[in-house]
C-alpha cells in the first residue's frame, strides 16, 4: 500500500500546528527583536484555559459544537492575558536594556509559568485528558483524517487569512509594519509603538491559543510541559521560514512537519541508513534541514536580507 | 528608574521561584513525619521515586506503601527500641535527580535503607553511590537485567553491586513471557516492535523480539520513538501498512497511551502489548476507548487475588492515602519490610541495639532475608534478584485492567 499521501497529511497537520505557534515568535521578533522563549508556555496556558472552560464552567455533557467555540474563547482569553501581562511586567521594563536581559527574563518566565500551572492547576501534576470531537475518522481515498484534526485543517488557513487581512489592510496593521521597519521613525510619524507592541504580543498569543486547542483535540491530553518542545519546534519553524515574516512562519512550520513525517517513514529505506530512520531521529533530520537552509539562505525561506543598521 | 524596575522584577521572579521550590520540597517530605513514636532509636527508610511528573501515579503509590510498612512496623513494635520513619525524595524519573537524592541519603546517617527507584535508568545512576556507602537499596520496580547481572548477562552473569536488591522480576523474564503469551495463546504471528530507547524499554523490546523469533513469529517492523513528543502519526501509519497483528511496545504509559490511541486511529485495529511500565490506570485514561483489548504483563500475581495481600489492601484503604497503591504497591511494601527484617536481624544479633557499622550489617543481612510478603515469598538470589518469578498478563476490559493469566516463566 502506498503510504506517501497519508504521511504527507500527517506532516502537514503537525506542521500547521507548528505554524500557528510560530506566528507568535515571528511577530514579536519582527517588531521588538525579542525571541520570546516563554511563547511555548503561553501556548500551554491557552490549552489549560480551554480545559477550564470545558471542565469547570460549562455543565457536564455540553455538546462539543457548543463547547468548542467557548473553549476557543477561553483559550484565547487566558493566553492573551498571560502574554500581555508578560509584555507589561517582564519585557517592557527591559526594552532598552541589552538584548541578553529580556532573553534571560523570557527563559525565567517560561519556567515560572510551567511551575505555576504545575503547582496550582488541579490535577496538572500529570497529564489531563482533553475533550474530543465525537465521530469516527474520515477517509479520503486512502488517507485517513481524524475528527480532531478537522479543527486544525480549518483553523490554520482561516487564522492565516485573518492575520494577512489585519496586517495588510488595517491601520493598526500598517502601524505594525512601520514599527517593524523602524520603531523610532514610526513613533515620530505618530504611531503609538507601545500599543503596537502589545497588539503583536496579543495576536501571537491568540494564534498560539488556537494551536493549543488543536493540540488538545489531536492528542486528547495536555500537560504543563507541552509548551516546551512545541515552542522549540515553532521557534525553529519561524527561523526556517525567515523570522519576522508571518507567511514564512506558516511555511516553515509546514516544511518542518512534513520533514519529520517523511524522515520517520522513509529514511530507514535508504540503504545504509536504517539506523537513522526511526521517529527518535526525526528531530535530528528537522535540524539538519534547518542548518542546510540557513547555510544557503541565511535569512530563511521567505526572509529578507537585513542590512545592519549603522 | 529602569535600573530599579529591573531589580524589582528579578527579585519578584526569584521570590516566585523560591516559593515554588519550597512548595515542592515540603510536598515530598512531610508524609513520613508522623509514623509513630516508639522512643529509642530512629531508623529512616528512604524512598526515591518520581513523585511529580508523568510517572507520579506509580511513584506516589510506592511512597505510600513504604510509609504504610513503616507505620505497621511501629504499631507492632516489630523491632524493639527502633522507630521507623520514611523520607521520600522526588527523582522526577531523571537519572541526575536520582543520583543527587542518593548522595543526600548517604549523607544522612539515620538512613539505613532506601526503597526505589521506579526507573531502571535512574537506578543505574544510584547504584554506585549506595554501594560505596554500603547503604542497601531495594527496588520494587526495576526490571532491567543489567542492574543485577551485569551488562553481559546474556553470556556471563556477574553481580555488579552488593548493596542492590529488587523485589520485582526482570525483563529477561518479562519480555519472553509476553512473547509466549502472544504467540502461543493469542495466536499472533506478525508483530511490530516499538521502544523508547531507554534502558527499560529497549531491554524489554529486545527480550520480546528474541523469544518471539525463536517461537517462529515474524517481526514485520521496528521503530524507536522519541518520548518527548506526542505525535506518533507517522509511526502509526507505518504500523498500519506493515500488516502487523500486534504491536509490542517497550516503554512507559505516558507514551504508550497516546501511541495506542494513534495506532488505532490510523486504522490498525490491533492490540498493543507492553510490560509493567504500561500497567497503570493512566494508560487506560490516555489510550481512550480504543485501548480496549490492549495487553500488559506485570510482575507477580495480582495483589487483590493473593490471600497474603488482603491485609495490605485493607490497611492501605484504612490509612486513607489520597493516591492508589498502583502497580508496585505490594512490591514496595515488601521492599520496605525486607529492610525492616534486615534491621531486626542486625539489632537482635547486637543485643538489642544498633551497631556502629549498621549500614554494612544491614546490607549483609539482606542477603539472607526470607519472609512471606504481600506478593508471596520474599527472598533474594545470589545476584540480588527476587527469587519469586511469577508474572501475570492483564488486558484492558471495560475500562480497567483485568488479569488474564498468571504463570511462572520457564526458560526455553
Amino acid at each position: 500500500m502506498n503510504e506517501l499521501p497519508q504521511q504527507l497529511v500527517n506532516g502537514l497537520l503537525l506542521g500547521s500546528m507548528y505554524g500557528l505557534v510560530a506566528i507568535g515568535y515571528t511577530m514579536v521578533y519582527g517588531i521588538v527583536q525579542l525571541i520570546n522563549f516563554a511563547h511555548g508556555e503561553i501556548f500551554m496556558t491557552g490549552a489549560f484555559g480551554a480545559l477550564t472552560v470545558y471542565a469547570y464552567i460549562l455543565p457536564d455533557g455540553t455538546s462539543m459544537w457548543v463547547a468548542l467555540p467557548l473553549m476557543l474563547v477561553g483559550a484565547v482569553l487566558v493566553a492573551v492575558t498571560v502574554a500581555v501581562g508578560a509584555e507589561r511586567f517582564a519585557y517592557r521594563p527591559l526594552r532598552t536594556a541589552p538584548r541578553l536581559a529580556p532573553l534571560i527574563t523570557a527563559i525565567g518566565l517560561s519556567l515560572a509559568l510551567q511551575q505555576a500551572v504545575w503547582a496550582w492547576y488541579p490535577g496538572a501534576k500529570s497529564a489531563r485528558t482533553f475533550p474530543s470531537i465525537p465521530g469516527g475518522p474520515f477517509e479520503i481515498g486512502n488517507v485517513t483524517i481524524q475528527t480532531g484534526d478537522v479543527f486544525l485543517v480549518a483553523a490554520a488557513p482561516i487564522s492565516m487569512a485573518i492575520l494577512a487581512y489585519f496586517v495588510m489592510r488595517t491601520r493598526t496593521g500598517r502601524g505594525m509594519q512601520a514599527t517593524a521597519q523602524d520603531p523610532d521613525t514610526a513613533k515620530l510619524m505618530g504611531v503609538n509603538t507601545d500599543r503596537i507592541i502589545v497588539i503583536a504580543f496579543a495576536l501571537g498569543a491568540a494564534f498560539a491559543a488556537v494551536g493549543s486547542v488543536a493540540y488538545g483535540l489531536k492528542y486528547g491530553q495536555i500537560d504543563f510541559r507541552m509548551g516546551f518542545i512545541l515552542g522549540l519546534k515553532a521557534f525553529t519553524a519561524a527561523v526556517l521560514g525567515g523570522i519576522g515574516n508571518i507567511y514564512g512562519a506558516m511555511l516553515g512550520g509546514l516544511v518542518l512537519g512534513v520533514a519529520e513525517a517523511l524522515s520517520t517513514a522513509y529514511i530507514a529505506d535508504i540503504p545504509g541508513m536504517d539506523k537513522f530512520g526511526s521517529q527518535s531521529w526525526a528531530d535530528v533530520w528537522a535540524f539538519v534541514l534547518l542548518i542546510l537552509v540557513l547555510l544557503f539562505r541565511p535569512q530563511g525561506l521567505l526572509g529578507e536580507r537585513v542590512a545592519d543598521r549603522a | 528608574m529602569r535600573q530599579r524596575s529591573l531589580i524589582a522584577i528579578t527579585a519578584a521572579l526569584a521570590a516566585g521561584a523560591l516559593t515554588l521550590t519550597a512548595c515542592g520540597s515540603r510536598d515530598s517530605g512531610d508524609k513520613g513525619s508522623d509514623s509513630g513514636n516508639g522512643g529509642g532509636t530512629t531508623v529512616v527508610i528512604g524512598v526515591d521515586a518520581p513523585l511529580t511528573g508523568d510517572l507520579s501515579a506509580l511513584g506516589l503509590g510506592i511512597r505510600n506503601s513504604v510509609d504504610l510498612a513503616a507505620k505497621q512496623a511501629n504499631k507492632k513494635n516489630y523491632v524493639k527500641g527502633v522507630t521507623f520513619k520514611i523520607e521520600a525524595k522526588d527523582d522526577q524519573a531523571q537519572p541526575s535527580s536520582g543520583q543527587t537524592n542518593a548522595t543526600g541519603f548517604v549523607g544522612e546517617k539515620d538512613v539505613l535503607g532506601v526503597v526505589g527507584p521506579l526507573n531502571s535508568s535512574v537506578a543505574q545512576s544510584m547504584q554506585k553511590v549506595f554501594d560505596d556507602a554500603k547503604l542497601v537499596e531495594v527496588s520494587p520496580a526495576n526490571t532491567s537485567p543489567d542492574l543485577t547481572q551485569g551488562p553481559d548477562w546474556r553470556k556471563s552473569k556477574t553481580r555488579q553491586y552488593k548493596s542492590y536488591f529488587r523485589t520485582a522480576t526482570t525483563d529477561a523474564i518479562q519480555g519472553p513471557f509476553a512473547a509466549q503469551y502472544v504467540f502461543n495463546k493469542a495466536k499472533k504471528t506478525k508483530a511490530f516492535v516499538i521502544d523508547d530507547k531507554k534502558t527499560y524499554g529497549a531491554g524489554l523490546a529486545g527480550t520480546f523480539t528474541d523469544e518471539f523469533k525463536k517461537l517462529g513469529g515474524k517481526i514485520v517492523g521496528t521503530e524507536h520513538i522519541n518520548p518527548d513528543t506526542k505525535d506518533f502519526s507517522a509511526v502509526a501509519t507505518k504500523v498500519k501498512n506493515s500488516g502487523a497483528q500486534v504491536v509490542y511496545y517497550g516503554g512507559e504509559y505516558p507514551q504508550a497511551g497516546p501511541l495506542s490511541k494513534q495506532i488505532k486511529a490510523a486504522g490498525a485495529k490491533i492490540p498493543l502489548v507492553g510490560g509493567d511500565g504500561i500497567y497503570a490506570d493512566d494508560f487506560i485514561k490516555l489510550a481512550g476507548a480504543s485501548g480496549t483489548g490492549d495487553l500488559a504483563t506485570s510482575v507477580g500475581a495480582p495483589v487483590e487475588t493473593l490471600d497474603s495481600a488482603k491485609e495490605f489492601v485493607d490497611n492501605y484503604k484504612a490509612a486513607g492515602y489520597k493516591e492508589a497503591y498502583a502497580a508496585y504497591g505490594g512490591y514496595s511494601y515488601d521492599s520496605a519490610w525486607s529492610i525492616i527484617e534486615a534491621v531486626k536481624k542486625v539489632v537482635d544479633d547486637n543485643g538489642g541495639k544498633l551497631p556502629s557499622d549498621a549500614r554494612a550489617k544491614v546490607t549483609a543481612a539482606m542477603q539472607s532475608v526470607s519472609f512471606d510478603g504481600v506478593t508471596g515469598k520474599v527472598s533474594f538470589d545470589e545476584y540480588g534478584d527476587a527469587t519469586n518469578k511469577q508474572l501475570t498478563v492483564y488486558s484492558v476490559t471495560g475500562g480497567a485492567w483485568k488479569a488474564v493469566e498468571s504463570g511462572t516463566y520457564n526458560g526455553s
Side-chain angles (χ1 to χ4, degrees):
Chain A
M1 203 193 301
N2 184 5
E3 65 176 62
L4 182 62
Q6 178 72 58
Q7 291 292 17
L8 278 175
V9 169
N10 291 344
L12 287 172
L13 285 168
L14 184 62
S16 308
M17 206 155 58
Y18 291 161
L20 280 173
V21 185
I23 288 167
Y25 274 105
T26 232
M27 286 218 305
V28 168
Y29 183 83
I31 289 174
V32 276
Q33 268 79 50
L34 162 72
I35 296 165
N36 179 12
F37 269 121
H39 189 61
E41 274 62 43
I42 290 169
F43 162 84
M44 180 266 295
T45 54
F48 278 92
L51 182 68
T52 308
V53 170
Y54 184 82
Y56 301 107
I57 297 178
L58 293 174
D60 280 350
T62 311
S63 148
M64 268 315 262
W65 303 116
V66 182
L68 195 54
L70 295 173
M71 285 162 64
L72 260 181
V73 172
V76 170
L77 224 57
V78 171
V80 168
T81 311
V82 172
V84 171
E87 195 278 329
R88 180 67 191 79
F89 296 108
Y91 300 140
R92 193 181 296 178
L94 297 174
R95 200 172 292 154
T96 50
R99 285 283 174 81
L100 204 54
L103 192 70
I104 293 166
T105 312
I107 293 169
L109 186 67
S110 128
L111 288 172
L113 284 172
Q114 273 190 33
Q115 293 302 313
V117 170
W118 177 87
W120 291 311
Y121 198 88
K125 289 188 173 62
S126 49
R128 289 215 43 171
T129 38
F130 200 83
S132 55
I133 300 178
F138 294 85
E139 303 265 353
I140 303 169
N142 57 7
V143 174
T144 315
I145 296 178
Q146 308 305 321
T147 38
D149 291 338
V150 174
F151 174 82
L152 193 53
V153 172
I158 293 175
S159 309
M160 279 307 286
I162 295 174
L163 185 66
Y165 176 82
F166 180 82
V167 174
M168 297 301 164
R169 296 271 181 268
T170 66
R171 233 180 122 74
T172 321
R174 282 197 292 270
M176 288 176 93
Q177 293 185 54
T179 314
Q181 216 156 52
D182 188 338
D184 294 329
T185 316
K187 215 173 195 165
L188 289 174
M189 299 295 153
V191 176
N192 182 347
T193 46
D194 272 348
R195 206 176 123 246
I196 294 291
I197 293 170
V198 171
I199 289 171
F201 269 90
L203 266 178
F207 283 97
V210 174
S212 75
V213 173
Y215 180 103
L217 292 171
K218 191 171 167 61
Y219 304 127
Q221 53 163 319
I222 57 173
D223 62 85
F224 69 96
R225 266 178 311 202
M226 65 191 262
F228 181 72
I229 295 287
L230 204 102
L232 218 55
K233 290 285 177 61
F235 171 65
T236 310
V239 174
L240 187 64
I243 192 155
N245 183 309
I246 51 174
Y247 302 111
M250 204 64 200
L251 180 68
L254 293 177
V255 169
L256 197 64
V258 170
E260 284 187 22
L262 295 189
S263 71
T264 305
Y266 296 111
I267 294 265
D269 297 343
I270 303 170
M273 296 288 275
D274 54 332
K275 280 206 166 35
F276 309 110
S278 64
Q279 196 238 0
S280 57
W281 279 82
D283 290 357
V284 176
W285 294 115
F287 281 101
V288 166
L289 179 77
L290 175 73
I291 291 166
L292 284 178
V293 168
L294 292 184
L295 271 180
F296 295 106
R297 257 191 87 81
Q299 68 273 39
L301 290 172
L302 297 186
E304 289 155 31
R305 197 176 286 277
V306 187
D308 280 330
R309 280 183 208 151
Chain B
M1 188 59 212
R2 217 194 69 221
Q3 212 67 6
R4 207 178 328 142
S5 45
L6 175 68
I7 293 167
I9 283 161
T10 325
L13 271 179
L18 283 176
T19 325
L20 290 170
T21 18
C23 285
S25 53
R26 202 168 54 236
D27 196 37
S28 54
D30 62 357
K31 275 282 152 112
S33 50
D34 57 345
S35 23
N37 44 1
T41 326
T42 302
V43 168
V44 176
I45 299 177
V47 180
D48 177 275
L51 304 177
T52 61
D54 285 342
L55 297 168
S56 58
L58 298 173
L60 292 166
I62 293 176
R63 183 197 65 187
N64 294 347
S65 304
V66 175
D67 187 51
L68 183 66
K71 281 183 176 154
Q72 295 289 325
N74 290 342
K75 208 164 110 190
K76 291 182 194 160
N77 201 7
Y78 194 72
V79 185
K80 286 213 167 48
V82 171
T83 307
F84 289 97
K85 243 180 84 171
I86 75 152
E87 185 185 332
K89 289 189 198 283
D90 182 6
D91 66 20
Q92 297 171 335
Q94 299 292 328
S96 54
S97 311
Q99 198 172 49
T100 311
N101 293 349
T103 316
F105 282 131
V106 166
E108 296 170 38
K109 62 176 185 359
D110 289 348
V111 178
L112 291 191
V114 176
V115 177
L118 171 67
N119 306 70
S120 295
S121 49
V122 178
Q124 273 176 331
S125 77
M126 301 172 82
Q127 283 181 312
K128 190 169 170 6
V129 179
F130 284 134
D131 201 57
D132 289 346
K134 299 202 164 41
L135 180 56
V136 76
E137 172 185 24
V138 187
S139 171
N142 296 158
T143 50
S144 167
D146 311 19
L147 295 172
T148 45
Q149 301 167 9
D152 282 329
W153 58 270
R154 281 188 178 83
K155 294 190 207 90
S156 67
K157 298 178 181 180
T158 43
R159 181 157 189 186
Q160 300 282 296
Y161 299 104
K162 283 216 161 1
S163 70
Y164 178 87
F165 296 85
R166 62 174 144 205
T167 50
T169 189
T170 68
D171 297 335
I173 298 172
Q174 190 172 186
F177 184 76
Q180 291 184 347
Y181 180 85
V182 167
F183 191 84
N184 294 334
K185 298 275 166 62
K187 305 277 179 223
K188 313 272 190 206
T189 55
K190 286 192 274 183
F192 197 104
V193 179
I194 304 174
D195 70 59
D196 62 3
K197 279 192 167 174
K198 291 202 266 187
T199 312
Y200 166 74
L204 206 51
T207 54
F208 173 88
T209 303
D210 292 348
E211 181 74 17
F212 197 72
K213 278 189 191 155
K214 208 191 288 171
L215 290 168
K218 209 170 153 240
I219 305 292
V220 292
T222 53
E223 259 297 330
H224 311 282
I225 58 143
N226 175 358
D228 291 331
T229 61
K230 285 272 161 13
D231 194 276
F232 305 121
S233 51
V235 174
T237 302
K238 280 181 90 171
V239 170
K240 185 193 168 198
N241 289 343
S242 70
Q245 297 163 322
V246 62
V247 174
Y248 189 82
Y249 177 66
E252 289 140 356
Y253 67 80
Q255 290 77 40
L259 184 63
S260 162
K261 193 178 194 170
Q262 291 178 36
I263 286 172
K264 270 96 172 174
K269 308 281 183 231
I270 56 175
L272 180 137
V273 185
D276 55 338
I278 78 164
Y279 175 59
D281 288 345
D282 279 27
F283 171 80
I284 301 173
K285 217 168 82 187
L286 295 173
S290 59
T292 300
D294 285 350
L295 301 166
T297 53
S298 190
V299 284
V303 163
E304 294 78 5
T305 65
L306 293 167
D307 280 341
S308 54
K310 279 226 174 67
E311 201 187 326
F312 165 73
V313 175
D314 292 345
N315 287 338
Y316 194 93
K317 276 195 194 123
Y321 295 110
K322 256 194 303 180
E323 304 88 3
Y325 50 83
Y328 303 107
Y331 287 91
S332 310
Y333 187 80
D334 283 352
S335 300
W337 265 103
S338 65
I339 294 174
I340 296 168
E341 291 280 358
V343 170
K344 182 180 164 66
K345 187 173 184 310
V346 169
V347 168
D348 287 351
D349 288 355
N350 196 43
K353 272 197 356 222
L354 271 180
S356 53
D357 58 340
R359 277 184 181 171
K361 289 252 168 68
V362 169
T363 304
M366 197 64 150
Q367 195 62 57
S368 52
V369 153
S370 174
F371 63 97
D372 290 312
V374 165
T375 54
K377 191 108 189 132
V378 178
S379 59
F380 304 100
D381 66 11
E382 71 259 46
Y383 303 104
D385 280 329
T387 47
N388 181 354
K389 303 213 189 296
Q390 202 171 41
L391 288 141
T392 301
V393 177
Y394 297 85
S395 94
V396 180
T397 319
W401 288 108
K402 290 273 151 55
V404 180
E405 191 182 77
S406 282
T408 313
Y409 168 72
N410 305 310
S412 55

